[in-house]
Amino acid sequence: MKNRKVFTLLLTGMLTLSMGSTVYASGTDAAIAEAQAEKQAAEEGLAQVQSSIGTLESKKQELESYLADLNAQYEDLTNSISELSIQAAEKEDELNKVKKELKKAKKASADQYESMKLRIAYMYENAGTSALETLLSSESLAEFLNRAENAIQISTYDRDMLDKYVSLQKNIQENEKKVETESAEIDDLMTERAAKQQEVQSMASSTSDDINSYVNQISASQEEAQQLMADISNADSSITALVQQAEAEKAAEEKAKAEAAAEAERQAAEAAAQEEADQDNEDSEEADSDDDYGYDPEEDTTESSSSSTSTDIVVEEEEEADDVQSGSSEDVSEDSSQEEVSEEVSNDETASEETEDASADTSDSGSSGQGTYLGNFTLTAYCNCAQCCGTAGNLTASGTVPTAGRTVAMAGVPFGTKLLINGTVYTVEDLGTPYGHVDIYCGSHSEALSFGLQSADVYQVG
């Protein structure tokens, strides 16, 4: 009977505690799993957005380089057109000069031609005059020779002038044709360069529009990345809060289990003591009834009565001894049960006091002068190279420039949280590690490698 009651009480307490813990655990675990799934989805989306940003940045850089080449070509064409314009103006002036010279030469040739015609006409009109008349009319041989020499010189002069006239006309025409050809070539080249300049300007305008489009896409992707990083930070905060809540629930459950177990043991001990007391009362009543029916002093003789009396005394002494022994054993068991219950209650009270003292000590240490104690965390290091971050020269997840001695990465706390680690105050500006794992930024990859894997007490300050 006693064992059955004790077993029933213990079984009831265990079922109650297990049901409560199962409900709490399943609810908290489901919330944590959901938060972790949201965080994973946000991280995957962030990775895709960052990859898209990298692709867009690469295309934007290619277009900017192409636009720089187009601008250089446009500038070269502009300079070339300016030079051709100057050359065309010079050729125009040269052509005008040639035309003026040709006009003068034509006028001089015309004058010379008229003079020649007068002399030739005069010669033909006076062709009847003979050399004898010319000699006879001369006063001396010298005058005759002079006149003959003059006639020869005039004829030679006219022939030379005619040759010069023909040559001058030819040179002037050739020069005019050459200048006109060069001027036409310059005009054609200017037209070609102008068309090329217009084409380059159109291509540059189109490229600028493409670059602006990529800039807008990059800006939108960066805003999306910022939102995803905020979602990841919120998910980390939720996971941290849920983990802390689960730990608090677990501690409360363990405390409730201990209290329920102690209460069940106390009730079991009380029930066992009550049963033993009831059993002792029943045994005592049965012994009294047996004594009443087994002894009658009026029916016995003196001898028999004396012998029976002595016998009864012996029996009574034996029964009293047995009763004393039984009573003492029952008292001892009852006392021992009560002592065990007292010891358990005392142990529970001591454990509760120790837990309260430990929590008080933890609370005191958590709010010490160094700040709020977060725990003993794992420490690693990283730098801003492609080996550590995938690509080099990135900003932090919070949008700041990573700085050695200040920047650390850890999820589960808001950006800007100040952490005191080994006497140095760092700022959480980046992600990449879970709560309880601090990744410290270093100025070079060699420093990050030499840092290795460490652990230290971490305090939240500020």
Side-chain angles (χ1 to χ4, degrees):
M1 180 70 70
K2 178 180 70 176
N3 294 331
R4 184 177 299 173
K5 288 183 178 180
V6 173
F7 179 74
T8 302
L9 290 171
L10 292 175
L11 182 59
T12 302
M14 291 174 64
L15 287 173
T16 303
L17 293 174
S18 63
M19 289 175 64
S21 63
T22 302
V23 171
Y24 286 129
S26 61
T28 306
D29 291 342
I32 292 174
E34 183 179 357
Q36 289 177 345
E38 292 178 356
K39 177 186 175 182
Q40 184 177 1
E43 288 177 345
E44 291 176 355
L46 178 61
Q48 293 178 356
V49 171
Q50 288 177 342
S51 177
S52 176
I53 290 174
T55 303
L56 292 173
E57 287 286 356
S58 177
K59 291 182 179 179
K60 174 175 166 289
Q61 291 177 359
E62 291 177 358
L63 287 178
E64 286 176 346
S65 177
Y66 180 60
L67 179 61
D69 293 339
L70 290 176
N71 289 331
Q73 292 180 16
Y74 183 82
E75 185 176 358
D76 292 340
L77 288 171
T78 302
N79 295 332
S80 177
I81 290 172
S82 298
E83 292 177 358
L84 290 173
S85 298
I86 295 172
Q87 293 178 8
E90 292 175 352
K91 287 295 179 182
E92 186 70 21
D93 293 340
E94 184 179 354
L95 182 61
N96 292 330
K97 290 179 180 179
V98 170
K99 287 180 178 180
K100 288 180 180 180
E101 291 177 357
L102 181 61
K103 186 176 181 180
K104 290 179 180 180
K106 286 180 178 180
K107 186 177 183 302
S109 298
D111 294 340
Q112 183 180 358
Y113 181 67
E114 291 296 330
S115 299
M116 288 177 62
K117 285 196 299 181
L118 291 174
R119 283 194 296 272
I120 292 171
Y122 175 78
M123 289 174 64
Y124 278 106
E125 288 176 357
N126 298 293
T129 303
S130 62
L132 182 59
E133 292 178 353
T134 303
L135 292 174
L136 293 176
S137 62
S138 298
E139 294 179 358
S140 64
L141 180 62
E143 182 180 357
F144 174 79
L145 292 175
N146 287 334
R147 286 182 179 181
E149 182 67 24
N150 289 335
I152 293 171
Q153 289 180 356
I154 290 172
S155 177
T156 303
Y157 172 77
D158 288 337
R159 186 172 295 276
D160 292 340
M161 290 302 293
L162 181 62
D163 293 338
K164 288 181 180 180
Y165 167 74
V166 173
S167 177
L168 181 61
Q169 291 289 332
K170 184 178 179 180
N171 290 334
I172 290 174
Q173 289 176 359
E174 290 178 355
N175 196 9
E176 182 181 15
K177 186 177 180 180
K178 179 181 178 183
V179 172
E180 289 177 351
T181 302
E182 291 177 353
S183 179
E185 290 177 354
I186 292 173
D187 291 339
D188 293 339
L189 189 58
M190 284 181 63
T191 303
E192 180 182 354
R193 296 293 173 86
K196 184 66 175 178
Q197 185 185 33
Q198 186 68 27
E199 180 182 356
V200 171
Q201 185 177 8
S202 177
M203 293 171 64
S205 178
S206 176
T207 305
S208 297
D209 293 338
D210 293 339
I211 291 174
N212 292 330
S213 175
Y214 281 123
V215 169
N216 293 331
Q217 294 180 26
I218 291 170
S219 178
S221 299
Q222 288 176 345
E223 291 179 359
E224 184 179 358
Q226 291 291 337
Q227 182 62 42
L228 289 172
M229 285 189 288
D231 293 341
I232 292 172
S233 179
N234 293 333
D236 287 330
S237 301
S238 299
I239 292 171
T240 302
L242 289 171
V243 169
Q244 293 175 353
Q245 180 182 354
E247 292 177 353
E249 290 177 355
K250 184 178 179 182
E253 290 170 8
E254 291 178 353
K255 184 178 180 181
K257 284 182 182 179
E259 292 177 354
E263 181 66 20
E265 290 179 359
R266 185 183 67 77
Q267 291 179 0
E270 289 179 356
Q274 185 64 36
E275 280 190 7
E276 289 178 357
D278 293 341
Q279 187 66 34
D280 291 339
N281 291 332
E282 290 177 1
D283 293 340
S284 178
E285 290 175 359
E286 289 177 359
D288 291 340
S289 65
D290 290 339
D291 289 341
D292 291 338
Y293 288 107
Y295 175 69
D296 188 2
E298 295 181 354
E299 294 180 355
D300 293 337
T301 59
T302 305
E303 184 178 358
S304 63
S305 64
S306 63
S307 62
S308 63
T309 300
S310 62
T311 304
D312 290 337
I313 291 170
V314 173
V315 172
E316 288 177 358
E317 289 177 354
E318 291 177 355
E319 290 177 353
E320 288 177 357
D322 293 336
D323 291 337
V324 170
Q325 184 177 1
S326 175
S328 63
S329 63
E330 291 174 356
D331 293 338
V332 169
S333 63
E334 184 175 357
D335 293 338
S336 63
S337 299
Q338 292 178 354
E339 289 176 357
E340 291 176 356
V341 172
S342 299
E343 288 177 358
E344 291 175 355
V345 172
S346 176
N347 290 332
D348 292 337
E349 292 176 353
T350 303
S352 177
E353 291 176 357
E354 290 177 355
T355 304
E356 292 176 356
D357 294 339
S359 63
D361 294 338
T362 303
S363 176
D364 293 340
S365 64
S367 59
S368 64
Q370 293 181 337
T372 302
Y373 179 68
L374 300 181
N376 188 270
F377 288 178
T378 300
L379 305 181
T380 55
Y382 74 106
C383 69
N384 203 2
C385 69
Q387 188 174 357
C388 290
C389 301
T391 56
N394 294 326
L395 298 177
T396 63
S398 61
T400 62
V401 177
T403 305
R406 183 192 71 191
T407 302
V408 295
M410 186 180 74
V413 296
F415 290 136
T417 301
K418 304 293 184 179
L419 301 180
L420 177 62
I421 305 173
N422 294 331
T424 302
V425 177
Y426 297 94
T427 303
V428 178
E429 297 179 338
D430 211 346
L431 296 173
T433 57
Y435 182 82
H437 181 177
V438 181
D439 209 6
I440 300 175
Y441 180 80
C442 293
S444 64
H445 190 67
S446 59
E447 293 179 8
L449 288 177
S450 63
F451 187 88
L453 179 64
Q454 304 181 19
S455 62
D457 292 333
V458 178
Y459 298 85
Q460 182 176 344
V461 297

